[in-house]
Amino acid sequence: MAFSHTGVLFLLLLSFLLLLLGNPASSDAPPSAPVDPSTACNSTLDPKFCKTVLPRRGSDNLYDYGRFSLAKSLSNAGRFLNLVNRYLAGRSTLSSTAILALQDCQLLSSLNIDFLTSAGATLNYTDNLLDPQVEKVQTLLSALLTNQQTCSDGLQATASAWSVKNGLSVPISNSTKLYGISLALFKKAWIPKKKYKRNGGRVPSRVLPHGRSLLFHEVNVGRNGELPLRMSAPKRGLFERWSGRRLLQATDTVQVDDIVLVSQDGSGNFTTISDAVNSAPSDLDGSTGYYLIYVAAGVYQEYVVISKHKKYLMMIGDGINQTVITGNHNVVDGWTTFNSSTFAVVGQGFVGINMTFQNTAGPAKHQAVAVRNGADLSTFYSCSFEGYQDTLYTHSMRQFYGECDIYGTVDYIFGNAAVVFQSCNVYSRLPLQGQTNTITAQGRTDPNQNTGTSMQDCNFLAAADLAADNGSTITYLGRPWKLYSRTVIMQSFMDSLIDPAGWLPWNGDFALDTLYYAEYNNSGPGAGVANRVTWPGYHVIGSSDAANFTVSSFILGDNWLPQAGVPYDGGLL
């Protein structure tokens, strides 16, 4: 029997419609439609493991499966923390390095319990989330995997902790897979295929004559000028007397709840930064403003931790190279990379301005972190980060760095945060003889994580010691630390220190087809893309793709950066 061309098309279309109607578990079915566990698991990276997690009987919807896996993840996180605590209870048989690695796992596991509790409280409330809620939950679930990977990395680097590694390897692996299932199911159920449209324009704020949209006058922050803070008259007077800066009278840009002074000469409230941090009230929600710590000029040799309960702290110094926090912890001397930081931030909403952070261990000591940042909605503006290997650890959560200087050699901007660097100077230094400089080492381990490193309007330059080396050191933009490493560099200047290949493999062909490295509209002698790597994961992108990695889109900065009062551009320049 013969059919016309139109008849054949009609039958194919009818068959397709019947297939969809008869299969509510299809990929186009709404998240509220009942599906069997096997179908739900197909959206995860490990469907076989997922089927052992979800209920074997019944047909819940994707929302229910997501909540179920989240509850399982929370229970698992509690058990894992108890296991770590048991190992620490027997610390008399462990080396100091093994104890430090376990203490890292202890902190990270505690944070995972907090993140899962927060995510569960949000998802149990409604099926319909607003855009900022979606972004927050995806950030929390992404950080679960990062924390677990950091725990694992610290233990693997500890040669003397063989028994601990052996005992925790399976629990770590199972936890990672379980957290990955929770993230995948959340993304499948709560994040639409066509992700919500975000504002790609500039932040609405005061427009200065030169046309850039600013909240701080850029000539003032760190450059002996005014700071737009709102506070009571007595506090305003104290700040002006201490800092020598006049406050803008007609602005309410930044709200400050309280203010204390750190000064080494004893003229302030505290002589150490740590004491000032400890004085801050716990668990501020930001609604009454920041707890402002003004740190007078001086070199502060101390290790500062902004704990998870010290939220919405604002720390302002007297300027780069004026207010300096310095330390020298490093891996060679027995510290873990995670715990080698001079300055560590966990508390949400931290803002740091006009300061220098150093790790002076030097290149021979290998991993030595100046700042480790795992604080959500955190900001550094007009700051300098100085080290060699692993200078700035953008560990997790959402972060912004504006008009900062970063110095280092090997993997010196690394981690797995969702982070944007804007208008920063990136200085590669002279490494050990025979070493190669790699600027970034981004650590995304799961394609469902919303993490990555975006660098916009930055300058990639040689520090003085490298410039004097006459080009014997090769410098690359980055290498893939983890399987789904993601780094985008756009609208930036690259000097001649950048190798024509641009990017360096980590180990053989590891991650070359799963990473996402992209460049857009860069300039300078090192910016040519004609001789760049030809990996499947490397891209030269256009403006529409680049817009996804702007402040407004990638970290939803318009929702939280204005509170910090720092200048930024929301979209492409």
Side-chain angles (χ1 to χ4, degrees):
M1 182 178 179
F3 290 93
S4 67
H5 180 67
T6 304
V8 171
L9 289 177
F10 175 78
L11 289 176
L12 288 174
L13 179 59
L14 180 62
S15 299
F16 180 69
L17 291 173
L18 289 173
L19 180 63
L20 288 181
L21 292 173
N23 181 18
S26 73
S27 60
D28 292 326
S32 57
V35 295
D36 60 75
S38 295
T39 301
C41 286
N42 287 337
S43 63
T44 68
L45 294 183
D46 192 341
K48 184 177 179 180
F49 183 81
C50 175
K51 292 173 187 176
T52 69
V53 173
L54 298 187
R56 296 184 180 182
R57 298 180 180 179
S59 293
D60 292 327
N61 60 39
L62 287 174
Y63 295 124
D64 293 331
Y65 287 131
R67 295 185 182 102
F68 181 87
S69 69
L70 209 63
K72 294 275 284 189
S73 292
L74 180 57
S75 177
N76 177 85
R79 289 195 303 272
F80 185 80
L81 178 57
N82 289 337
L83 182 58
V84 170
N85 288 338
R86 286 201 297 272
Y87 275 106
L88 280 171
R91 67 176 62 199
S92 60
T93 63
L94 300 174
S95 68
S96 59
T97 305
I99 291 171
L100 287 172
L102 282 169
Q103 288 174 338
D104 291 348
C105 293
Q106 186 181 50
L107 169 62
L108 295 164
S109 299
S110 173
L111 290 173
N112 279 353
I113 292 173
D114 294 342
F115 297 163
L116 284 162
T117 301
S118 177
T122 300
L123 299 187
N124 290 337
Y125 173 72
T126 180
D127 291 345
N128 301 310
L129 301 180
L130 299 175
D131 292 350
Q133 293 174 303
V134 170
E135 196 76 9
K136 178 181 177 180
V137 174
Q138 190 177 12
T139 297
L140 293 171
L141 299 184
S142 296
L144 293 179
L145 292 164
T146 303
N147 288 347
Q148 206 68 2
Q149 184 66 53
T150 303
C151 169
S152 178
D153 288 345
L155 291 172
Q156 292 301 320
T158 306
S160 59
W162 183 88
S163 62
V164 176
K165 287 188 287 187
N166 190 51
L168 288 178
S169 61
V170 172
I172 287 175
S173 176
N174 288 341
S175 297
T176 299
K177 289 190 287 186
L178 180 56
Y179 300 158
I181 289 169
S182 293
L183 176 59
L185 291 175
F186 167 77
K187 186 175 180 181
K188 183 70 174 177
W190 275 275
I191 301 181
K193 287 184 178 180
K194 293 184 178 180
K195 202 168 185 181
Y196 40 85
K197 185 177 180 181
R198 295 166 170 174
N199 173 26
R202 295 186 174 189
V203 56
S205 61
R206 181 180 298 108
V207 178
L208 299 184
H210 64 319
R212 189 174 181 192
S213 180
L214 295 178
L215 291 174
F216 272 110
H217 288 274
E218 62 180 355
V219 297
N220 294 334
V221 180
R223 296 168 179 82
N224 299 319
E226 302 166 341
L227 292 171
L229 304 174
R230 181 177 69 189
M231 61 180 72
S232 65
K235 294 294 183 182
R236 181 184 293 273
L238 280 175
F239 185 85
E240 292 173 358
R241 185 165 72 252
W242 286 339
S243 68
R245 292 186 175 92
R246 180 176 61 84
L247 299 178
L248 299 178
Q249 300 297 319
T251 181
D252 61 354
T253 298
V254 179
Q255 185 174 355
V256 174
D257 180 72
D258 204 353
I259 177 173
V260 295
L261 169 67
V262 180
S263 181
Q264 292 176 321
D265 64 8
S267 62
N269 304 98
F270 304 98
T271 57
T272 70
I273 298 169
S274 295
D275 285 343
V277 171
N278 292 336
S279 75
S282 294
D283 297 315
L284 289 174
D285 63 6
S287 61
T288 59
Y290 291 96
Y291 188 81
L292 173 59
I293 300 173
Y294 174 68
V295 186
V299 177
Y300 296 82
Q301 296 181 336
E302 56 179 301
Y303 297 92
V304 179
V305 177
I306 313 297
S307 73
K308 66 180 183 180
H309 292 297
K310 300 301 181 179
K311 301 177 181 179
Y312 290 95
L313 297 190
M314 177 177 281
M315 191 174 291
I316 300 177
D318 269 328
I320 291 174
N321 296 328
Q322 299 300 311
T323 298
V324 179
I325 307 175
T326 186
N328 63 2
H329 288 171
N330 60 84
V331 167
V332 171
D333 289 342
W335 299 91
T336 63
T337 301
F338 184 81
N339 235 329
S340 68
S341 55
T342 302
F343 193 90
V345 191
V346 182
Q348 178 175 308
F350 177 82
V351 180
I353 299 172
N354 294 352
M355 306 180 75
T356 291
F357 305 91
Q358 296 178 339
N359 191 311
T360 60
K365 295 293 186 176
H366 300 295
Q367 295 95 333
V369 176
V371 169
R372 185 193 83 230
N373 187 4
D376 199 22
L377 312 180
S378 56
T379 306
F380 285 87
Y381 182 79
S382 189
C383 289
S384 183
F385 306 87
E386 301 174 6
Y388 288 86
Q389 183 170 348
D390 290 4
T391 302
L392 178 54
Y393 195 174
T394 57
H395 181 263
S396 55
M397 312 302 276
R398 293 166 289 182
Q399 308 177 15
F400 174 77
Y401 298 77
E403 299 188 34
C404 292
D405 299 331
I406 307 105
Y407 295 80
T409 55
V410 178
D411 304 338
Y412 62 95
I413 300 173
F414 75 114
N416 195 26
V419 55
V420 175
F421 293 86
Q422 193 172 87
S423 304
C424 292
N425 297 313
V426 182
Y427 294 103
S428 293
R429 307 174 92 168
L430 185 65
L432 293 175
Q433 186 174 3
Q435 278 188 332
T436 294
N437 280 342
T438 45
I439 296 170
T440 65
Q442 205 283 326
R444 193 168 66 138
T445 60
D446 188 302
N448 294 313
Q449 290 176 305
N450 63 347
T451 55
T453 297
S454 174
M455 310 189 78
Q456 181 187 24
D457 190 33
C458 294
N459 297 306
F460 294 85
L461 308 166
D465 57 352
L466 183 64
D469 187 48
N470 297 320
S472 63
T473 298
I474 301 174
T475 298
Y476 295 94
L477 296 170
R479 57 177 180 162
W481 182 28
K482 302 297 180 183
L483 188 60
Y484 294 95
S485 182
R486 180 162 64 173
T487 302
V488 177
I489 300 177
M490 53 190 186
Q491 300 178 306
S492 295
F493 174 83
M494 301 180 189
D495 213 341
S496 57
L497 77 158
I498 302 300
D499 188 82
W503 306 84
L504 181 70
W506 183 270
N507 184 16
D509 61 358
F510 170 75
L512 301 188
D513 57 351
T514 52
L515 61 78
Y516 183 87
Y517 285 170
E519 297 181 54
Y520 167 70
N521 199 25
N522 297 309
S523 62
V529 296
N531 295 310
R532 286 296 197 251
V533 295
T534 57
W535 307 337
Y538 171 75
H539 309 275
V540 177
I541 58 176
S543 59
S544 59
D545 288 328
N548 293 324
F549 297 94
T550 58
V551 170
S552 296
S553 293
F554 193 50
I555 57 174
L556 257 64
D558 297 334
N559 290 330
W560 56 277
L561 270 174
Q563 181 178 1
V566 302
Y568 73 93
D569 284 289
L572 295 174
L573 303 178

